[in-house]
Amino acid sequence: MRRITFLVYAVLWILLISLNLYQQVTDTKQYAQKIATRQAEMFFDHIVLIRKWNALHGGVYVPITESTQPNPYLEVPHRDVETTDGKHLTLINPAYMTRQLSEMGDESDIAFHITGFNPIRPENRPDQWEAEALLAFQQGQKSVSSIGTINGQSFYRYMAPLHVDQSCLVCHQRQGYKEGEIRGGISVSIPSASIDAFVSERLEHLTITHAIVAVIGLIVLLLSYLAQARLSLRLDKAKSRMQLAYLDSLTLLPNRRYYDAFVKREWKRALRHKYPISMIMIDIDFFKLYNDNLGHIEGDHCLRQVAKTLKRFFRRPGDLIARYGGEEFCVVAACDAEQIMVLAEILRKAVENMRLPHPASKISEFVTISLGVASIVPSDDLSFESLLHAADQALYDAKATGRNRVGKRRV
């Protein structure tokens, strides 16, 4: 039973540690996603701020180079100009600037993309994830973030909408946009690999820590189990020694020592509560002749059989059947004179019905017993010895009048 309890506690401990590890792993992954989302939000805010600066200035003129050609999708007057010293300049609006920044971002880990449902530039069309995000913006969602895949690689993706303001209408009025409407958004993608190293290190640390805690807990449980097992073994040994001290080794009935302690305790209880206490003295008829005729081994067997038969009728904690000495037994019970007489007769018949052969008996071919009964209600001027004396005299009467019967005496 203790082993099963130990195993149950061990399994529960492992489950508890596993659940805690699972929760912390989940929290760590969610925290990593929050870090990536926050980083993407900051990146998005910086892009929007730069675009706003550009829009407030009506765009920015830059020299035309191989990598910066005039924007064919920008249909505004004075898109291209020439300075007095002959330099050719082209107007960079917020969208063109965002695209150029995005192309420069290919050299870093973070990528971003300006997109919308109706972009002027075909390359600004949304991918599937961005299209779903744009639909979410139309339904009132402020931003979208999740883990997605781009060209087979995992990314933390974030996207927020771009609203039309007055400066945007310069380029986008012909598309039918109105001020305040959502005309698209900017998606920011951060490679998962840039954060996975942190996550993996954290998960490895959590796994090792939880494994150590689990092992320590199991060791504590094991030591507790072993200590309890050792204590229980000592208690069992002590209990066995105590039982041996109060049990008759032959019949396994309580011995004279236990009888003395029991009698003192029960006499005080009966005296305090004023209820009757009764006693039966029992003697196996012609037991000496049994031993002389069949030998001491058979005599011991006879004592064990009689003790086993008598013991069957005693289940109440307030009753006692004990070996008094030799072939004598005694009964102490909390009952009145009538009840003890009934019990005595039951015991006599039970032994007789054993049909244990007694070839040397002078009254029966089987083993029989004689019994002496006495009852008393304890009082301050009486002692248990008076009850014992009366029961002993009643036993003498039973023997003197033929044996295999119950004698009775008053105290």
Side-chain angles (χ1 to χ4, degrees):
M1 185 63 185
R2 288 191 299 272
R3 183 176 299 177
I4 294 176
T5 302
F6 165 74
L7 292 175
V8 169
Y9 279 125
V11 170
L12 289 176
W13 174 250
I14 294 298
L15 286 176
L16 179 63
I17 294 297
S18 299
L19 287 174
N20 186 267
L21 176 61
Y22 173 78
Q23 183 62 47
Q24 292 204 36
V25 167
T26 302
D27 291 345
T28 299
K29 291 181 178 179
Q30 292 176 349
Y31 181 66
Q33 187 168 349
K34 287 181 180 179
I35 291 176
T37 300
R38 182 57 188 152
Q39 188 175 0
E41 286 177 345
M42 294 173 62
F43 201 86
F44 175 86
D45 292 340
H46 277 79
I47 295 172
V48 171
L49 186 63
I50 294 172
R51 285 171 54 87
K52 185 176 182 180
W53 177 86
N54 184 296
L56 287 175
H57 290 283
V60 179
Y61 282 100
V62 301
I64 297 174
T65 64
E66 183 178 350
S67 60
T68 305
Q69 293 293 311
N71 186 356
Y73 305 105
L74 180 60
E75 299 178 1
V76 294
H78 311 297
R79 185 194 69 181
D80 302 314
V81 297
E82 184 178 354
T83 65
T84 56
D85 58 357
K87 288 184 179 180
H88 295 280
L89 305 177
T90 186
L91 184 66
I92 302 294
N93 67 341
Y96 194 8
M97 182 188 67
T98 303
R99 175 161 59 90
Q100 285 201 321
L101 289 172
S102 174
E103 291 170 353
M104 292 175 65
D106 291 341
E107 301 174 5
S108 65
D109 290 334
I110 301 177
F112 58 94
H113 181 226
I114 182 169
T115 185
F117 280 123
N118 187 26
I120 298 176
R121 180 172 176 266
E123 288 82 356
N124 290 348
R125 287 192 299 268
D127 60 21
Q128 182 177 351
W129 186 89
E130 292 170 332
E132 293 175 356
L134 289 170
L135 288 174
F137 299 154
Q138 291 180 351
Q139 295 173 3
Q141 193 163 331
K142 301 299 182 182
S143 63
V144 174
S145 62
S146 66
I147 298 178
T149 302
I150 302 177
N151 298 326
Q153 293 185 348
S154 178
F155 284 82
Y156 291 100
R157 304 199 69 180
Y158 171 84
M159 187 171 178
L162 292 174
H163 294 85
V164 177
D165 56 24
Q166 189 62 40
S167 61
C168 299
L169 294 177
V170 176
C171 301
H172 297 281
Q173 189 172 14
R174 67 186 180 86
Q175 293 177 281
Y177 287 117
K178 297 179 181 180
E179 188 174 356
E181 289 183 337
I182 296 175
R183 63 177 179 83
I186 297 178
S187 66
V188 180
S189 302
I190 302 176
S192 298
S194 63
I195 298 179
D196 286 348
F198 158 77
V199 175
S200 297
E201 182 179 354
R202 171 67 175 167
L203 295 183
E204 183 180 356
H205 175 73
L206 285 173
T207 302
I208 293 174
T209 302
H210 281 72
I212 292 173
V213 172
V215 171
I216 292 174
L218 290 176
I219 291 174
V220 171
L221 284 173
L222 180 60
L223 292 176
S224 176
Y225 164 74
L226 294 175
Q228 288 183 354
R230 182 177 297 177
L231 178 61
S232 179
L233 182 60
R234 290 180 178 177
L235 289 175
D236 289 342
K237 289 181 178 179
K239 186 177 179 180
S240 296
R241 287 195 295 267
M242 184 178 294
Q243 287 178 342
L244 290 175
Y246 286 101
L247 286 182
D248 175 62
S249 59
L250 179 63
T251 62
L252 297 182
L253 290 178
N255 59 18
R256 184 68 176 270
R257 179 185 297 179
Y258 185 85
Y259 159 83
D260 290 337
F262 180 87
V263 163
K264 291 179 182 178
R265 184 174 66 249
E266 288 303 309
W267 181 266
K268 289 180 181 180
R269 184 178 292 126
L271 179 62
R272 184 168 59 252
H273 296 287
K274 302 300 182 185
Y275 61 74
I277 186 169
S278 299
M279 187 171 187
I280 307 174
M281 293 298 295
I282 304 170
D283 189 70
I284 299 177
D285 294 327
F286 302 108
F287 185 72
K288 184 177 184 305
L289 295 177
Y290 188 96
N291 265 338
D292 292 342
N293 189 266
L294 297 178
H296 288 286
I297 294 178
E298 287 299 319
D300 289 346
H301 175 71
C302 175
L303 286 172
R304 283 193 293 267
Q305 289 298 103
V306 171
K308 183 178 179 181
T309 300
L310 295 175
K311 189 178 179 180
R312 293 205 316 265
F313 299 94
F314 295 89
R315 296 289 184 267
R316 298 191 309 173
D319 296 340
L320 171 71
I321 171 75
R323 186 181 181 191
Y324 195 75
E327 71 273 19
E328 285 189 315
F329 302 89
C330 67
V331 172
V332 180
C335 61
D336 57 27
E338 183 178 349
Q339 292 170 328
I340 201 66
M341 279 297 294
V342 172
L343 177 59
E345 186 60 28
I346 290 173
L347 297 178
R348 187 194 66 79
K349 289 181 179 179
V351 172
E352 188 175 32
N353 291 335
M354 286 169 47
R355 315 292 285 181
L356 184 63
H358 189 335
S361 176
K362 298 178 180 180
I363 59 169
S364 172
E365 58 182 314
F366 303 110
V367 170
T368 59
I369 58 175
S370 297
L371 306 94
V373 171
S375 296
I376 192 174
V377 176
S379 63
D380 293 333
D381 58 342
L382 294 174
S383 65
F384 186 80
E385 282 71 18
S386 57
L387 177 64
L388 174 60
H389 178 73
D392 192 54
Q393 289 299 312
L395 176 60
Y396 178 82
D397 294 342
K399 290 181 177 181
T401 56
R403 300 181 186 260
N404 190 22
R405 64 192 60 202
V406 179
K408 179 180 179 182
R409 281 283 185 107
R410 290 182 179 273
V411 179

